[in-house]
Amino acid sequence: MHAVRTPASPDNSFEDFERDAVYRAIFTRRDVRSHFRPDPIDDAVLARLLTAAHHAPSVGFMQPWNFVVVRDMGRREAVRDLFLAARNEELPHIAGERQALYRKLKLEGICESALNLCITCDRRRSEGSPLGRWHNPQMDLFSTVCAVQNFWLAARAEGIGVGWVSILDADALKRLLDIPEPVVPIAYLCVGHVREFAARPDLEHSGWASRLPLADLIMSETYAGAGEEALKAACVAPGADR
């Protein structure tokens, strides 16, 4: 693992180049579907990514995650079959005028990527410890999503692409991967080296959706509160201030 350097600045901020690297990982992260290369991921690299995921924040320090590495092509083909079935079930619920575009979208790279990873949440791990969960028992699920994000950003820094396949029947996936009943599959990820990281998200490039203006999403004091004009004006596109 790389040594963690203590920031030298009196305000505990990173050096400029370190800060820029963090923002670059955030702004250039992509949900990869169609640019995977077949070459394998070195175990040392994968271990770094999993270590980053394992250092995600978790409410009550419950650390509810597990990581199921799926390499076997036969099992991955079975997962792809689950995806295709789920996609056919989802299609009728897409607005009629958008169904043609939906059919064209590349929404998974299950068999094209180097490996798959299922990140799960073991809901038994927080039993007997209501810290942070008494009023919101879903926090173990949210904590696991933080592990997914850590993995994703670390992967971008390593030049590894990640695609989250959400169009899956969770119960069928649990049966296929022998996941016990109290454990919840949170994210099924396609992971691998890529030919490129797209300049824009695939769904934005295809015309499915556009990124919402951040200034329209900032409220002051209450959800209906106006104001914060100076803050809104300070919001810039990624890289605009570099």
Side-chain angles (χ1 to χ4, degrees):
M1 294 295 298
H2 296 298
V4 177
R5 298 201 310 158
T6 302
S9 64
D11 64 355
N12 293 311
S13 64
F14 287 5
E15 299 282 350
D16 287 352
F17 75 95
E18 294 171 317
R19 180 202 64 192
D20 288 348
V22 172
Y23 285 115
R24 181 184 176 197
I26 293 170
F27 294 144
T28 64
R29 181 210 56 80
R30 293 290 176 265
D31 198 352
V32 178
R33 311 296 188 178
S34 56
H35 304 295
F36 286 112
R37 302 194 331 246
D39 40 315
I41 299 173
D42 187 272
D43 279 351
V45 175
L46 182 58
R48 289 199 293 269
L49 304 185
L50 293 174
T51 301
H54 186 46
H55 281 72
S58 64
V59 172
F61 204 42
M62 67 183 76
Q63 306 164 74
W65 41 72
N66 282 91
F67 308 98
V68 183
V69 180
V70 183
R71 302 181 191 268
D72 179 74
M73 187 54 70
R75 183 169 285 107
R76 289 160 63 180
E77 289 173 347
V79 175
R80 183 181 59 188
D81 289 343
L82 294 182
F83 161 80
L84 292 174
R87 187 177 186 181
N88 286 336
E89 292 173 352
E90 184 174 75
L91 180 61
H93 302 282
I94 302 296
E97 67 275 10
R98 307 195 82 188
Q99 286 192 12
L101 176 57
Y102 179 86
R103 291 177 186 276
K104 295 178 182 178
L105 296 175
K106 172 70 170 170
L107 297 176
E108 54 82 28
I110 295 169
C111 295
E112 297 92 334
S113 54
L115 58 89
N116 295 175
L117 180 71
C118 185
I119 301 182
T120 65
C121 175
D122 188 341
R123 309 210 71 183
R124 300 167 296 187
R125 205 161 293 168
S126 57
E127 288 179 353
S129 177
L131 176 61
R133 296 183 64 247
W134 182 257
H135 293 94
N136 190 349
Q138 307 286 61
M139 292 308 297
D140 55 345
L141 302 175
F142 300 160
S143 296
T144 305
V145 174
C146 290
V148 177
Q149 181 78 336
N150 268 24
F151 182 92
W152 214 332
L153 293 176
R156 179 63 189 91
E158 297 276 3
I160 302 295
V162 176
W164 187 332
V165 184
S166 60
I167 306 174
L168 287 171
D169 182 302
D171 291 333
L173 182 64
K174 288 178 68 169
R175 291 191 294 270
L176 183 60
L177 301 184
D178 295 325
I179 297 173
E181 184 52 40
V183 179
V184 179
I186 298 298
Y188 193 87
L189 308 176
C190 308
V191 185
H193 295 283
V194 294
R195 295 187 301 276
E196 63 176 340
F197 287 93
R200 292 189 293 160
D202 287 351
L203 291 181
E204 183 177 30
H205 178 74
S206 69
W208 184 264
S210 298
R211 191 175 301 280
L212 299 174
L214 174 56
D216 293 347
L217 310 178
I218 299 173
M219 291 79 167
S220 179
E221 305 298 341
T222 68
Y223 195 86
E228 299 294 347
E229 297 306 320
L231 174 60
K232 292 179 181 183
C235 295
V236 296
D241 61 340
R242 312 263 203 275

